[in-house]
Amino acid sequence: GAVVSQHPSRVICKSGTSVKIECRSLDFQATTMFWYRQFPKQSLMLMATSNEGSKATYEQGVEKDKFLINHASLTLSTLTVTSAHPEDSSFYICSARPKSTGDLYGEQYFGPGTRLTVT
Amino acid sequence: AQSVTQLDSHVSVSEGTPVLLRCNYSSSYSPSLFWYVQHPNKGLQLLLKYTSAATLVKGINGFEAEFKKSETSFHLTKPSAHMSDAAEYFCVVTLWGGKLIFGQGTELSVKP
């Protein structure tokens, strides 16, 4: 149980184009999903918190107009990188917190990640 | 403010020898702490979690961690390393509301 999928696993796009990454909780409902970015050999950095039916909350320094997040249902959140540039190339990972999880514990289940390369 | 520090960026052990990955935390309230493992180009897998029920926490694949409030530590251990344990390990503290704060990560290498 508690499986989170991401699609695509890898994507290569040209500079200036937009790319959408999907994050799905397969066997549970997730009121909250999180989007992280990970550079090679570095830790995960939280980009934004996505709550179903409301606007995402972005961390300081993350451009909300560049990284569009939509959490349209309890099992799906999408991250769209708009007008991508080579510096946006990174490993993007989502996580989902089950609807039944209390705030105190904050356990999350992670997707396998999406490798974005912008040429 | 909550924070977590992993004391070693890289640990190398021989197969069959013990593993110790060190983590110190800072928290203004009783924290929830996690250890996650990440294999190359993969997502994160939860190894174990501490949520104040017991100070010695057992996880998957033979790993365990002990919460020591006096030392503000949550070190990860395993009695005998296996080649498949080679990966990146993250110590994580949670904020109220579910946000996670990640340590810098420790790369574990296992030599045959």
Side-chain angles (χ1 to χ4, degrees):
Chain A
V3 177
V4 176
S5 69
Q6 278 185 245
H7 177 79
S9 57
R10 291 178 178 269
V11 57
I12 301 173
C13 69
K14 293 188 175 181
S15 187
T17 63
S18 296
V19 61
K20 180 185 286 187
I21 302 170
E22 292 186 348
C23 176
R24 291 181 185 273
S25 57
L26 298 184
D27 49 4
F28 64 96
Q29 292 184 326
T31 49
T32 306
M33 290 183 171
F34 302 86
W35 286 95
Y36 297 85
R37 185 173 181 176
Q38 185 180 31
F39 290 105
K41 300 292 186 182
Q42 293 189 26
S43 189
L44 279 74
M45 291 184 56
L46 179 65
M47 299 175 65
T49 302
S50 166
N51 291 296
E52 186 264 339
S54 62
K55 289 184 178 180
T57 303
Y58 291 82
E59 296 300 302
Q60 191 173 9
V62 177
E63 300 176 61
K64 61 181 180 181
D65 294 330
K66 181 166 188 64
F67 298 100
L68 300 179
I69 291 172
N70 184 279
H71 193 158
S73 76
L74 286 172
T75 60
L76 174 64
S77 177
T78 60
L79 167 67
T80 301
V81 183
T82 63
S83 186
H85 291 283
E87 56 265 31
D88 298 325
S89 298
S90 190
F91 195 50
Y92 292 87
I93 301 175
C94 73
S95 69
R97 190 154 64 94
K99 188 177 180 181
S100 59
T101 301
D103 284 345
L104 183 62
Y105 299 111
E107 183 172 347
Q108 300 174 20
Y109 298 94
F110 287 82
T114 296
R115 174 76 60 192
L116 170 63
T117 302
V118 184
T119 61
Chain B
Q2 278 63 247
S3 67
V4 61
T5 301
Q6 292 181 242
L7 302 174
D8 307 291
S9 59
H10 185 251
V11 170
S12 181
V13 301
S14 297
E15 190 174 20
T17 64
V19 175
L20 170 63
L21 305 183
R22 298 182 295 165
C23 172
N24 285 110
Y25 70 91
S26 172
S27 178
S28 54
Y29 55 83
S30 183
S32 291
L33 293 159
F34 306 84
W35 275 99
Y36 283 90
V37 61
Q38 184 182 33
H39 291 276
N41 294 311
K42 300 288 186 183
L44 279 76
Q45 181 183 21
L46 179 66
L47 279 178
L48 49 79
K49 64 179 179 181
Y50 167 76
T51 55
S52 77
T55 56
L56 182 62
V57 182
K58 293 188 183 298
I60 62 172
N61 301 334
F63 285 94
E64 62 181 39
E66 186 171 9
F67 175 75
K68 292 187 177 180
K69 187 175 181 179
S70 60
E71 299 176 9
T72 61
S73 69
F74 189 56
H75 301 335
L76 181 71
T77 60
K78 182 173 181 178
S80 176
H82 192 272
M83 295 296 292
S84 61
D85 295 328
E88 188 85 15
Y89 291 80
F90 293 98
C91 182
V92 180
V93 65
T94 185
L95 299 179
W96 189 269
K99 286 187 181 181
L100 301 183
I101 296 179
F102 283 77
Q104 301 89 330
T106 298
E107 182 181 2
L108 175 65
S109 298
V110 182
K111 299 175 289 187

